[in-house]
Amino acid sequence: MANGWTLLSSVAACVVSIWVAQAFLLRILEVVVLATSVMYHGFDRKQNSRIHKLDMLAVGLAIVIHLLLAPFHFLDDLLLYYAVAIAFFWHSHKFGGVWHLTACGHAMGAYAHYQLSAAMQASAA
């Protein structure tokens, strides 16, 4: 059951992130994250496997690109959102089997993307 919830929360977060992305590069990165996340949460399910590392690398790359594209006045908020999301993921991996923390991390990541999109739109206006 846990992997079903983490898969569902991951797919939902990626769909929201693709939907609100303000740059084509962000959409491409989110599609890559979606693909690696489905491979990990849907099929592989082994921590520290090759696909798990690929999934974390794709997410890390997306975060770096988001930080580079974020308006300067929004960086502190974005860093806080990502710090909370990373804390959820770290605790879920550290303690194992705490799947609801992974789902919270996915939700926090999607919220960060939504807020980034709003900040980018406000800066463009």
Side-chain angles (χ1 to χ4, degrees), residues 4-122:
W5 283 107
T6 56
L7 175 62
L8 180 65
S9 66
S10 176
V11 168
C14 288
V15 167
V16 166
S17 297
I18 292 167
W19 181 38
V20 300
Q22 293 295 311
F24 185 70
L25 178 61
L26 295 177
R27 284 198 173 106
I28 295 298
L29 280 171
E30 289 304 325
V31 169
V32 170
V33 169
L34 175 62
T36 59
S37 187
V38 167
M39 287 188 289
Y40 171 62
H41 291 294
F43 300 103
D44 185 44
R45 300 180 182 174
K46 296 178 191 149
Q47 279 189 6
N48 297 321
S49 66
R50 183 176 293 152
I51 196 65
H52 186 224
K53 290 177 182 176
L54 182 63
D55 185 39
M56 290 189 299
L57 177 69
V59 170
L61 180 62
I63 289 172
V64 168
I65 299 298
H66 286 178
L67 291 172
L68 291 173
L69 293 177
F72 183 74
H73 65 86
F74 184 67
L75 277 178
D76 55 344
D77 291 340
L78 190 60
L79 286 170
L80 176 65
Y81 298 147
Y82 282 134
V84 171
I86 289 168
F88 280 130
F89 288 122
W90 181 80
H91 279 88
S92 69
H93 284 85
K94 178 178 167 75
F95 299 116
V98 193
W99 56 269
H100 58 280
L101 291 178
T102 301
C104 290
H106 290 148
M108 193 65 201
Y111 181 73
H113 298 180
Y114 174 76
Q115 290 298 329
L116 173 62
S117 173
M120 290 174 78
Q121 281 182 339

